[in-house]
Amino acid sequence: MDLRQLEYFVAVAEEANFTRAAERVHISQSGVSAQIKQLERELGADLFDRSTRAVRLTTAGEAALGHARAALASAQAVGEVVGETSRLLRGRLGVGMVVGCAITPFFDALASFHEAHPGVAIAVREGRSDQLIDELRGGGVDLCLVGCAHRPPEDLASMVIVSEGLTAVVPPGHELAGRKTTTLAQVTTHPVVCMPPGTGLRAVFDQACAARNIRARIAVEAAAAASIADLAARGLGVGVLSTSLAAVHQARLHLAAIHDVTIPALLAILWRRNGGVAASELAERCRTAFQIDAPAA
């Protein structure tokens, strides 16, 4: 049997008429009849009761109909997947990332994707997390690496690559320099150097302050972690960074974990569900690069 015979079988079953089925599949009625008879010979059973004016399925035909429909649906799915893969070999993939991103595995994933699909033009741009998320929802980018507070947006597919707390960074001799940990209240008795609104770290900081009814004095806003560290080192305020970003500067700054901020600062990769095979493949390459286990089925 072949898919053409199954298509004709389903058409006759659904139309309950050979003439209408022939019109539906755009061949002659005799052609449909011949193919159905060939299918019945191969199966060794009649699929239709032709003894009345209305064409009806036999018991064997009723048993076969569901499987025939499933086979046709599977064949269509194969065609769609192949078509998507073919389109993946060309076109454009928009990728967004937070300002000052220096995440080596993310760059490794981009390089791996480019090597596998050199026909796809990868357009990478930096931006604030909130802007990139809006662009992702609107189709301006296809995948982005952003900061989030507490949890990724539920309307988007996501992969969390970092989840950690906040750390204060101060120069030697500062009042907080002798502490391994500190509190948000102690940090905010001083001017603060932090990232601007729209970033994941700033969202964590602002939410934590709001929960404690604390009004922080923001001395300087800087989009790059290195700039925050440099400004804190020069005494412009207490720098507020995530744990891993602060650790980069521990040779010249003192680090004190802000232990009472329990909202996690996340770094996550986001893409639209059903947003295309290219974005999904890049996400999987990110999963491999960051050595993140696939979610359970």
Side-chain angles (χ1 to χ4, degrees):
M1 75 182 72
D2 59 32
L3 290 173
R4 181 181 56 178
Q5 292 172 330
L6 295 180
E7 180 187 4
Y8 299 165
F9 165 55
V10 171
V12 174
E14 292 179 347
E15 298 293 340
N17 183 281
F18 277 89
T19 300
R20 289 195 298 271
E23 293 172 352
R24 170 171 153 178
V25 298
H26 307 295
I27 68 167
S28 67
Q29 179 178 336
S30 60
V32 170
S33 297
Q35 290 296 324
I36 294 295
K37 288 178 181 178
Q38 177 63 30
L39 179 60
E40 290 174 325
R41 283 194 295 269
E42 292 179 12
L43 294 174
D46 289 340
L47 299 175
F48 295 104
D49 179 357
R50 300 172 175 84
S51 63
T52 61
R53 292 186 62 183
V55 178
R56 294 175 180 167
L57 288 167
T58 63
T59 301
E62 290 177 351
L65 182 58
H67 295 287
R69 285 171 171 157
L72 292 172
S74 295
Q76 181 179 356
V78 169
E80 290 173 353
V81 168
V82 171
E84 283 292 317
T85 302
S86 298
R87 287 191 291 275
L88 174 61
L89 301 179
R90 58 190 180 276
R92 178 184 180 278
L93 182 65
V95 178
M97 61 185 186
V98 289
V99 175
C101 176
I103 312 288
T104 300
F106 187 60
F107 299 150
D108 290 341
L110 288 173
S112 172
F113 181 94
H114 175 67
E115 182 178 1
H117 306 290
V120 178
I122 302 176
V124 182
R125 65 176 300 274
E126 290 185 321
R128 289 201 325 254
S129 293
D130 62 341
Q131 294 172 334
L132 293 174
I133 292 171
D134 285 344
E135 288 191 33
L136 178 62
R137 289 181 173 130
V141 296
D142 302 294
L143 177 145
C144 58
L145 173 65
V146 297
C148 307
H150 189 53
R151 64 171 64 91
E154 294 183 354
D155 61 315
L156 297 169
S158 63
M159 180 192 318
V160 175
I161 59 177
V162 175
S163 178
E164 55 191 8
L166 298 185
T167 294
V169 296
V170 295
H174 191 278
E175 180 182 330
L176 299 179
R179 301 172 179 270
K180 291 184 178 180
T181 65
T182 186
T183 65
L184 187 63
Q186 290 166 340
V187 167
T188 53
T189 60
H190 307 275
V192 172
V193 181
C194 62
M195 292 190 176
T199 59
L201 286 180
R202 181 60 178 269
V204 172
F205 182 75
D206 287 347
Q207 288 178 28
C209 287
R212 291 165 177 77
N213 199 27
I214 292 173
R215 177 171 294 182
R217 292 177 291 156
I218 307 299
V220 187
E221 296 175 343
S227 298
I228 291 174
D230 286 343
L231 293 164
R234 288 165 173 77
L236 275 76
V238 176
V240 175
L241 293 170
S242 66
T243 302
S244 60
L245 291 177
V248 175
H249 306 284
Q250 60 185 348
R252 63 189 178 111
L253 292 169
H254 183 84
L255 278 55
I258 308 176
H259 67 79
D260 60 342
V261 175
T262 58
I263 303 168
L266 307 181
L267 197 60
I269 293 167
L270 308 178
W271 65 100
R272 293 185 302 278
R273 296 185 177 92
N274 302 319
V277 67
S280 295
E281 178 166 337
L282 178 55
E284 287 308 306
R285 290 179 183 271
C286 289
R287 191 183 303 280
T288 299
F290 285 101
Q291 298 182 340
I292 297 173
D293 292 335

